[in-house]
C-alpha cells in the first residue's frame, strides 16, 4: 500500500507579512491551527521549512506538536519538497500532498476526497485550487513521488522550482482531475498573505468561537451570511506565479 506524505511548506520570510505562519490565531498559531484541522493526518505531515537561519521558531513549533520537519533551500521549494519526501523514505508510487502554511482553514474532508480520487483512479494529479470555485485558501494538490522526482530532475526555470507543481506538465502529458466546488465561491479569500487577510481570518475564527473543527458547509454559510467579515480582505489581490 502506498504511503502518504502531506508536505506543508512554511517559512518565516514572507515579504508581505513576515512571520505570518506563526502569528497568534485563536489559542495557538496559524500553523498550529492547520495541525489541528488535520489532526487525523498528523502522522503523515511533514513541514518543509527553510535552512536560512530564520526557521528556528517553525522547528520549535513542529517539535512541540510532534510534527516531522525538514530544512531545505528557501527559494528552491521544488527541491525542498523532493528532499523532504526522500528524507522520510518516499518511494516511486507513494503519494505526496502539497499544502501551504498560509491556509489555516484547510479542509480535511476535501483533502480526504482528493486522496480517495487519486488512490482509486488512474489520475496523475488531483487538484483543488484556483479556478475550482472554492475560496482561495483550500488549495490541495495530490501526485505521486515519481512525478515529483521527475519534475525535480528536469525543471530549470526559477518559477518552476519556486512553485513545485507549476512545471509538472512541461515534461509529460498528465491526466489531471480538478475537483469542482459546484458553485462559485472563488471571490472569497481565506488565505493569509497581507495584514487585511489576517484581520479577516481572525474575525472569521472568532465567528466560529475559535473552534477548529468546522465543515466546508459551515465555512460557506459564514462567508455568505457575514459580509462584514468576508469583505475585510476582498480588495487584496492574489500574488501571481
Amino acid at each position: 500500500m502506498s504511503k502518504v506524505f502531506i508536505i506543508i511548506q512554511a517559512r518565516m520570510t514572507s515579504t508581505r507579512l513576515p512571520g505570518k505562519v506563526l502569528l497568534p490565531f485563536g489559542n495557538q498559531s496559524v500553523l498550529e491551527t492547520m495541525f489541528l484541522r488535520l489532526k487525523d493526518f498528523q502522522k503523515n505531515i511533514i513541514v518543509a521549512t527553510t535552512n536560512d537561519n530564520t526557521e528556528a521558531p517553525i522547528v520549535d513549533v513542529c517539535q512541540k506538536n510532534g510534527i516531522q520537519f525538514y530544512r531545505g533551500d528557501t527559494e528552491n521549494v521544488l527541491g525542498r519538497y523532493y528532499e523532504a519526501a526522500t528524507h522520510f523514505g518516499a518511494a516511486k508510487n507513494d503519494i505526496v500532498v502539497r499544502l501551504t502554511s498560509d491556509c489555516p482553514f484547510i479542509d480535511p474532508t476535501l483533502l480526504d476526497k482528493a486522496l480517495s480520487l487519486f488512490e482509486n483512479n488512474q489520475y496523475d494529479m488531483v487538484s483543488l485550487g484556483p479556478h475550482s470555485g472554492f475560496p482561495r485558501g483550500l488549495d490541495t494538490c495530490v501526485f505521486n513521488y515519481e512525478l515529483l522526482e521527475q519534475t525535480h530532475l528536469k525543471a530549470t526555470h526559477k518559477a518552476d522550482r519556486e512553485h513545485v507543481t507549476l512545471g509538472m506538465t512541461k515534461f509529460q502529458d498528465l491526466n489531471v482531475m480538478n475537483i469542482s466546488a459546484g458553485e462559485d465561491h472563488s471571490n472569497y479569500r481565506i488565505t493569509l498573505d497581507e495584514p487585511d487577510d489576517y484581520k479577516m481570518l481572525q474575525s472569521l475564527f472568532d465567528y466560529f468561537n475559535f473552534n477548529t473543527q468546522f465543515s466546508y458547509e459551515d465555512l460557506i454559510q459564514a462567508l455568505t451570511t457575514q459580509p462584514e467579515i468576508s469583505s475585510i480582505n476582498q480588495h487584496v489581490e492574489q500574488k501571481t506565479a
Side-chain angles (χ1 to χ4, degrees):
M1 181 176 290
S2 299
K3 293 183 288 185
V4 176
F5 297 81
I6 298 174
I7 303 180
I8 304 173
Q9 63 192 70
R11 63 186 177 118
M12 293 296 291
T13 54
S14 170
T15 54
R16 290 190 285 178
L17 192 59
K20 63 183 182 180
V21 303
L22 296 187
L23 288 172
F25 202 56
N27 298 315
Q28 60 282 320
S29 65
V30 169
L31 183 58
E32 287 171 300
T33 302
M34 284 194 77
F35 297 160
L36 290 170
R37 293 280 290 166
L38 299 174
K39 61 184 179 64
D40 292 340
F41 297 96
Q42 181 167 336
K43 63 181 176 58
N44 305 97
I45 295 174
I46 303 165
V47 171
T49 190
T50 60
N51 60 4
D52 55 12
N53 297 317
T54 67
E55 75 281 357
I58 292 175
V59 170
D60 288 345
V61 165
C62 290
Q63 292 176 326
K64 170 187 168 186
N65 289 276
I67 299 293
Q68 300 176 117
F69 62 90
Y70 179 84
R71 299 178 180 92
D73 189 273
T74 303
E75 302 301 329
N76 182 8
V77 188
L78 173 61
R80 203 192 316 164
Y81 264 76
Y82 169 71
E83 291 168 6
T86 303
H87 177 79
F88 285 100
K92 178 179 178 180
N93 292 315
D94 286 337
I95 297 168
V96 177
V97 181
R98 178 181 180 243
L99 301 180
T100 59
S101 55
D102 52 9
C103 298
F105 293 153
I106 194 72
D107 191 278
T109 301
L110 291 172
L111 169 56
D112 195 52
K113 178 179 180 179
L115 282 169
S116 180
L117 283 167
F118 187 85
E119 291 172 322
N120 295 308
N121 296 277
Q122 298 300 311
Y123 299 123
D124 298 304
M125 180 186 293
V126 175
S127 178
L128 185 161
H131 316 299
S132 64
F134 289 99
R136 169 70 73 160
L138 299 174
D139 298 16
T140 303
C141 194
V142 184
F143 43 87
N144 65 26
Y145 173 77
E146 183 178 25
L147 177 59
L148 176 63
E149 181 178 50
Q150 289 302 309
T151 307
H152 166 69
L153 293 173
K154 295 177 180 179
T156 57
H157 289 177
K158 181 180 178 181
D160 294 339
R161 302 212 67 87
E162 183 181 352
H163 295 281
V164 184
T165 59
L166 192 63
M168 285 186 170
T169 57
K170 285 187 176 181
F171 310 112
Q172 58 184 299
D173 292 327
L174 299 181
N175 183 14
V176 179
M177 169 63 182
N178 293 303
I179 299 176
S180 170
E183 296 180 319
D184 188 7
H185 296 298
S186 58
N187 57 309
Y188 297 114
R189 286 179 58 84
I190 54 169
T191 190
L192 180 59
D193 283 322
E194 297 194 359
D196 281 346
D197 290 327
Y198 184 44
K199 292 177 185 176
M200 184 274 185
L201 288 170
Q202 285 182 305
S203 296
L204 185 59
F205 207 9
D206 180 65
Y207 175 82
F208 287 119
N209 296 314
F210 304 110
N211 175 11
T212 61
Q213 303 306 308
F214 54 85
S215 69
Y216 177 69
E217 291 73 23
D218 293 333
L219 174 68
I220 295 303
Q221 190 272 339
L223 292 172
T224 55
T225 64
Q226 307 298 315
E228 71 280 5
I229 296 175
S230 58
S231 63
I232 293 172
N233 65 342
Q234 284 192 336
H235 65 283
V236 178
E237 294 187 8
Q238 182 66 27
K239 185 178 179 181
T240 55

